[in-house]
Amino acid sequence: KNQVEQSPQSLIILEGKNCTLQCNYTVSPFSNLRWYKQDTGRGPVSLTIMTFSENTKSNGRYTATLDADTKQSSLHITASQLSDSASYICVVSAPPGDYKLSFGAGTTVTVRA
Amino acid sequence: DAGVTQSPTHLIKTRGQQVTLRCSPKSGHDTVSWYQQALGQGPQFIFQYYEEEERQRGNFPDRFSGHQFPNYSSELNVNALLLGDSALYLCASSLGAHDFTDTQYFGPGTRLTVL
């Protein structure tokens, strides 16, 4: 069973609207949680990194939240643009000394005009 | 400042063959990680190289091996290819383990198709 589960698997939104993606993880303990954006056929690009002690982190129109108690994170996209169409991947990093990253399967976001 | 580069971009092989994929890390980075990403899935960690040694390995068979050179570039070798090895192979570079919030920078990937 994957240690990082994302929902929904995919979603379609209209340009200008907001959306929220969810990530639940079981990796414990963990060092940090990351959100990546992956365009089709390209490598992932980091959006945010949060340590276990942080609750929220923003990067432009992207805002990530983290609840370490419930092991849940969300990524909120504000005022979506066509260029936001991509797969958004939640990644959990194990504690120092364990260099493996655990990736979710991603949520595919399609923004339509 | 060059980012992470990978070669080749696409590759077609047949079952049983061997393949070598290459990665050059972002300038200033000394750590290279390799991932396999099947279609519609998130990347799966293969291994990580630091100071020319394999520092950690994921759940991949010994058919998957690698190497890191003194200039920090890296190779991923896969022997006895199986159909299930068809995937996007991603290389990511970072700066050692000095800060566990280090950002990994990913290359564009190599698309491997095994026929």
Side-chain angles (χ1 to χ4, degrees):
Chain A
K1 188 180 188 299
N2 197 2
Q3 293 184 300
V4 182
E5 300 285 346
Q6 292 187 244
S7 62
Q9 187 174 27
S10 63
L11 65 92
I12 300 172
I13 58 173
L14 293 177
E15 188 177 15
K17 298 297 185 181
N18 304 334
C19 68
T20 300
L21 316 179
Q22 300 293 338
C23 173
N24 296 332
Y25 62 92
T26 58
V27 178
S28 182
F30 80 104
S31 291
N32 58 73
L33 186 145
R34 313 163 186 226
W35 283 93
Y36 281 87
K37 177 185 179 186
Q38 185 174 23
D39 292 314
T40 302
R42 300 215 170 178
V45 174
S46 179
L47 293 175
T48 62
I49 300 176
M50 291 181 292
T51 66
F52 58 86
S53 61
E54 294 179 291
N55 299 122
T56 186
K57 184 69 70 78
S58 290
N59 178 1
R61 295 179 297 101
Y62 301 102
T63 299
T65 64
L66 173 63
D67 185 335
D69 292 332
T70 61
K71 296 185 173 56
Q72 295 180 325
S73 176
S74 65
L75 180 68
H76 187 74
I77 305 175
T78 304
S80 61
Q81 300 176 358
L82 297 178
S83 60
D84 292 332
S85 296
S87 178
Y88 291 84
I89 305 175
C90 175
V91 185
V92 178
S93 173
D98 185 342
Y99 306 99
K100 185 178 68 176
L101 298 180
S102 296
F103 287 73
T107 293
T108 300
V109 174
T110 302
V111 181
R112 291 188 174 162
Chain B
D1 180 22
V4 181
T5 60
Q6 293 186 242
S7 63
T9 54
H10 294 85
L11 203 53
I12 299 176
K13 291 285 188 178
T14 57
R15 281 178 297 175
Q17 285 190 308
Q18 178 265 341
V19 68
T20 297
L21 311 181
R22 296 177 176 82
C23 170
S24 290
K26 180 178 169 64
S27 178
H29 284 183
D30 57 7
T31 303
V32 173
S33 303
W34 286 93
Y35 297 86
Q36 180 194 67
Q37 186 176 24
L39 202 60
Q41 301 295 317
Q44 298 293 315
F45 176 76
I46 302 175
F47 42 52
Q48 183 180 86
Y49 276 85
Y50 173 67
E51 293 188 341
E52 301 180 51
E53 292 193 357
E54 183 183 290
R55 179 158 67 177
Q56 188 165 1
R57 188 180 185 90
N59 295 323
F60 279 80
D62 292 343
R63 297 187 297 110
F64 290 77
S65 64
H67 188 77
Q68 185 177 35
F69 300 94
N71 66 354
Y72 307 122
S73 66
S74 177
E75 288 183 348
L76 165 65
N77 301 293
V78 187
N79 294 323
L81 285 168
L82 304 173
L83 295 179
D85 295 332
S86 295
L88 180 68
Y89 287 85
L90 294 165
C91 166
S93 76
S94 56
L95 185 58
H98 311 299
D99 179 353
F100 57 75
T101 60
D102 63 295
T103 297
Q104 286 202 339
Y105 292 83
F106 283 82
T110 292
R111 173 68 64 185
L112 172 65
T113 301
V114 182
L115 302 177

Coordinates of all heavy atoms in Angstrom, one line a residue, chain A residues 31-32 34 36 38 41-44 46 49 51 89 96 98-101 103-105, chain B residues 35 37 40-43 45 48 55-56 88 90 97 100-104 106-108:
Chain A
S31 N 10.3 14.1 7.8 CA 11.1 15.3 7.8 C 10.3 16.5 7.2 O 10.2 17.5 7.8 CB 12.4 15.2 7.1 OG 13.3 14.3 7.8
N32 N 9.8 16.3 6.0 CA 9.1 17.3 5.4 C 8.2 16.8 4.3 O 8.2 15.6 3.9 CB 10.1 18.3 4.7 CG 11.0 17.7 3.7 OD1 10.6 17.3 2.6 ND2 12.3 17.5 4.1
R34 N 6.4 17.8 0.6 CA 6.6 18.7 -0.6 C 5.5 18.5 -1.6 O 4.9 17.5 -1.7 CB 7.9 18.3 -1.3 CG 9.1 18.1 -0.4 CD 10.2 17.4 -1.0 NE 11.3 17.1 0.0 CZ 12.6 17.3 -0.3 NH1 13.0 17.7 -1.5 NH2 13.5 17.0 0.7
Y36 N 4.9 19.0 -5.7 CA 5.5 19.3 -7.0 C 4.5 19.4 -8.0 O 3.4 18.8 -8.0 CB 6.4 18.1 -7.4 CG 7.8 18.0 -6.7 CD1 7.9 17.4 -5.4 CD2 8.9 18.5 -7.3 CE1 9.2 17.3 -4.8 CE2 10.1 18.5 -6.7 CZ 10.3 17.9 -5.5 OH 11.5 17.8 -4.9
Q38 N 4.0 18.7 -12.1 CA 4.6 18.0 -13.2 C 3.8 18.2 -14.5 O 2.7 17.7 -14.6 CB 4.8 16.5 -12.9 CG 5.6 15.8 -14.0 CD 5.9 14.3 -13.7 OE1 5.2 13.7 -12.8 NE2 6.9 13.8 -14.3
G41 N 5.1 14.9 -19.7 CA 6.4 14.7 -20.4 C 7.6 15.4 -19.8 O 8.7 15.4 -20.4
R42 N 7.4 16.0 -18.6 CA 8.5 16.8 -18.0 C 8.8 16.3 -16.6 O 8.0 15.6 -16.0 CB 8.2 18.2 -18.0 CG 8.0 18.8 -19.4 CD 8.5 20.2 -19.4 NE 8.5 20.8 -20.7 CZ 8.8 22.0 -21.0 NH1 9.2 22.8 -20.0 NH2 8.8 22.5 -22.2
G43 N 9.9 16.7 -16.1 CA 10.2 16.3 -14.7 C 9.5 17.2 -13.7 O 9.1 18.3 -14.1
P44 N 9.2 16.7 -12.5 CA 8.5 17.5 -11.5 C 9.3 18.8 -11.1 O 10.5 18.8 -11.1 CB 8.4 16.6 -10.3 CG 8.6 15.2 -10.9 CD 9.5 15.4 -12.0
S46 N 9.5 21.7 -8.0 CA 9.0 21.9 -6.6 C 8.2 23.2 -6.5 O 8.5 24.2 -7.0 CB 10.3 22.0 -5.7 OG 9.9 22.3 -4.4
I49 N 7.8 23.3 0.2 CA 8.4 22.4 1.1 C 8.0 22.8 2.5 O 8.3 24.0 2.9 CB 9.9 22.3 1.0 CG1 10.4 21.9 -0.4 CG2 10.5 21.3 2.0 CD1 11.9 21.8 -0.6
T51 N 8.3 21.7 6.7 CA 8.8 20.7 7.7 C 7.6 20.4 8.6 O 6.5 21.0 8.5 CB 9.9 21.4 8.6 OG1 9.3 22.5 9.3 CG2 11.0 21.9 7.7
I89 N 1.9 16.5 -7.4 CA 2.3 15.4 -6.7 C 2.7 15.7 -5.3 O 3.5 16.7 -5.1 CB 3.5 14.7 -7.4 CG1 3.1 14.3 -8.9 CG2 3.9 13.4 -6.7 CD1 4.3 13.8 -9.7
P96 N 16.0 12.5 8.7 CA 17.4 12.6 8.3 C 18.1 11.2 8.4 O 17.8 10.5 9.4 CB 18.0 13.6 9.2 CG 16.9 14.5 9.6 CD 15.6 13.6 9.6
D98 N 17.5 8.9 6.2 CA 16.8 8.1 5.2 C 16.5 9.1 4.1 O 15.7 10.0 4.2 CB 15.5 7.6 5.8 CG 14.7 6.7 4.9 OD1 15.0 6.7 3.6 OD2 13.8 5.9 5.3
Y99 N 17.1 8.8 2.9 CA 17.1 9.8 1.8 C 16.0 9.5 0.8 O 15.9 10.2 -0.2 CB 18.4 9.8 1.1 CG 19.5 10.1 2.1 CD1 20.3 9.0 2.6 CD2 19.8 11.4 2.6 CE1 21.3 9.3 3.5 CE2 20.8 11.6 3.5 CZ 21.5 10.6 4.0 OH 22.5 10.8 4.9
K100 N 15.2 8.5 1.1 CA 14.1 8.2 0.2 C 12.9 9.1 0.3 O 12.5 9.5 1.4 CB 13.6 6.7 0.5 CG 12.6 6.2 -0.5 CD 12.2 4.8 -0.2 CE 11.5 4.7 1.1 NZ 11.0 3.3 1.4
L101 N 12.4 9.5 -0.9 CA 11.2 10.3 -1.0 C 10.0 9.4 -1.4 O 10.2 8.5 -2.2 CB 11.3 11.4 -2.0 CG 12.4 12.4 -1.7 CD1 12.4 13.5 -2.8 CD2 12.2 13.1 -0.4
F103 N 6.4 9.2 -3.0 CA 5.6 10.0 -3.9 C 4.2 9.5 -3.9 O 3.9 8.3 -3.9 CB 6.1 10.0 -5.3 CG 7.4 10.8 -5.6 CD1 8.6 10.3 -5.1 CD2 7.4 11.9 -6.3 CE1 9.8 11.0 -5.3 CE2 8.5 12.6 -6.5 CZ 9.7 12.2 -6.0
G104 N 3.2 10.4 -4.0 CA 1.8 10.0 -4.3 C 1.7 9.9 -5.8 O 2.6 10.2 -6.6
A105 N 0.6 9.4 -6.2 CA 0.3 9.1 -7.6 C 0.0 10.4 -8.4 O 0.0 10.4 -9.6 CB -0.8 8.1 -7.8
Chain B
Y35 N 14.7 7.9 -10.3 CA 13.4 7.5 -10.1 C 12.8 6.8 -11.3 O 13.2 7.2 -12.4 CB 12.5 8.6 -9.7 CG 12.9 9.3 -8.4 CD1 13.8 10.3 -8.4 CD2 12.3 9.0 -7.2 CE1 14.2 11.0 -7.2 CE2 12.6 9.6 -6.0 CZ 13.6 10.6 -6.0 OH 13.9 11.2 -4.9
Q37 N 9.1 6.3 -13.2 CA 7.8 6.7 -13.2 C 7.0 6.0 -14.3 O 7.1 6.3 -15.4 CB 7.7 8.2 -13.3 CG 6.2 8.7 -13.1 CD 6.1 10.2 -13.2 OE1 7.0 10.9 -13.8 NE2 5.1 10.8 -12.6
G40 N 0.9 7.3 -15.4 CA -0.2 7.5 -14.5 C 0.2 7.3 -13.0 O -0.7 7.4 -12.1
Q41 N 1.4 7.1 -12.7 CA 1.9 6.8 -11.3 C 2.9 7.9 -10.9 O 3.4 8.6 -11.7 CB 2.5 5.5 -11.2 CG 1.6 4.3 -11.6 CD 0.4 4.2 -10.7 OE1 0.6 4.3 -9.5 NE2 -0.7 4.0 -11.2
G42 N 3.1 8.0 -9.6 CA 4.1 8.9 -9.1 C 5.5 8.2 -9.2 O 5.6 6.9 -9.4
P43 N 6.6 8.9 -9.2 CA 7.9 8.3 -9.3 C 8.2 7.4 -8.1 O 7.7 7.6 -7.0 CB 8.8 9.6 -9.2 CG 8.0 10.7 -9.7 CD 6.6 10.4 -9.2
F45 N 11.4 5.6 -6.1 CA 12.8 5.8 -5.8 C 13.6 4.6 -6.1 O 13.3 3.5 -5.7 CB 12.9 6.1 -4.3 CG 14.3 6.3 -3.8 CD1 15.1 7.4 -4.1 CD2 14.9 5.3 -3.0 CE1 16.4 7.5 -3.6 CE2 16.2 5.4 -2.6 CZ 17.0 6.5 -2.9
Q48 N 20.1 6.5 -4.7 CA 20.7 7.8 -4.6 C 22.2 7.6 -4.5 O 22.7 6.8 -3.8 CB 20.2 8.6 -3.4 CG 20.8 10.0 -3.3 CD 20.3 10.7 -2.0 OE1 20.8 10.6 -1.0 NE2 19.2 11.5 -2.2
R55 N 24.1 5.6 -1.8 CA 23.9 5.9 -0.4 C 22.6 5.2 0.1 O 22.6 4.8 1.3 CB 23.8 7.4 -0.2 CG 23.5 7.8 1.3 CD 23.9 9.2 1.5 NE 23.1 10.2 0.8 CZ 23.3 11.5 1.0 NH1 24.2 12.0 1.8 NH2 22.5 12.3 0.3
Q56 N 21.6 5.1 -0.8 CA 20.4 4.4 -0.4 C 19.8 3.8 -1.6 O 19.9 4.3 -2.7 CB 19.5 5.3 0.3 CG 18.2 4.6 0.9 CD 17.5 5.5 1.9 OE1 17.9 6.7 2.2 NE2 16.5 5.0 2.5
L88 N 9.1 6.3 -17.6 CA 9.9 7.6 -17.6 C 10.9 7.5 -16.5 O 10.6 7.3 -15.3 CB 9.0 8.8 -17.4 CG 9.7 10.1 -17.5 CD1 10.3 10.5 -18.9 CD2 8.7 11.2 -17.0
L90 N 13.5 9.4 -14.2 CA 13.8 10.7 -13.8 C 15.1 10.7 -13.0 O 15.3 9.9 -12.1 CB 12.7 11.3 -13.0 CG 11.4 11.5 -13.8 CD1 10.2 11.7 -12.8 CD2 11.5 12.7 -14.7
A97 N 23.3 16.2 2.1 CA 22.3 16.0 3.1 C 22.4 17.1 4.2 O 22.1 16.8 5.3 CB 22.4 14.6 3.7
F100 N 17.7 19.0 5.6 CA 16.7 18.0 5.1 C 15.5 18.7 4.4 O 14.5 18.0 4.1 CB 16.2 17.1 6.2 CG 15.7 17.8 7.5 CD1 14.4 18.4 7.5 CD2 16.4 17.9 8.6 CE1 13.9 19.0 8.6 CE2 16.0 18.5 9.7 CZ 14.7 19.0 9.7
T101 N 15.6 20.0 4.2 CA 14.6 20.7 3.4 C 15.1 21.0 2.0 O 14.6 21.8 1.3 CB 14.1 22.0 4.0 OG1 15.2 22.8 4.2 CG2 13.4 21.7 5.4
D102 N 16.3 20.3 1.7 CA 16.9 20.6 0.4 C 15.9 20.3 -0.7 O 15.1 19.3 -0.7 CB 18.1 19.7 0.2 CG 17.8 18.2 0.2 OD1 17.4 17.7 1.3 OD2 18.0 17.6 -0.8
T103 N 15.9 21.1 -1.7 CA 15.0 20.9 -2.9 C 15.7 20.0 -3.9 O 16.9 20.2 -4.2 CB 14.7 22.3 -3.5 OG1 14.0 23.1 -2.6 CG2 13.9 22.1 -4.8
Q104 N 15.0 19.0 -4.4 CA 15.5 18.2 -5.4 C 15.0 18.8 -6.8 O 13.9 19.1 -6.9 CB 15.0 16.8 -5.3 CG 15.6 16.0 -4.2 CD 15.5 14.5 -4.4 OE1 14.7 14.0 -5.2 NE2 16.4 13.7 -3.8
F106 N 14.6 18.2 -10.7 CA 14.4 17.1 -11.6 C 14.8 17.4 -13.0 O 14.6 18.5 -13.5 CB 13.0 16.6 -11.6 CG 12.6 15.8 -10.4 CD1 12.2 16.4 -9.2 CD2 12.6 14.4 -10.4 CE1 11.9 15.6 -8.1 CE2 12.3 13.6 -9.3 CZ 11.9 14.3 -8.1
G107 N 15.3 16.4 -13.7 CA 15.6 16.6 -15.1 C 14.3 16.3 -15.9 O 13.3 15.9 -15.3
P108 N 14.4 16.4 -17.2 CA 13.2 16.2 -18.0 C 12.8 14.7 -18.2 O 11.7 14.4 -18.6 CB 13.6 16.8 -19.4 CG 15.0 16.7 -19.4 CD 15.5 16.8 -18.0

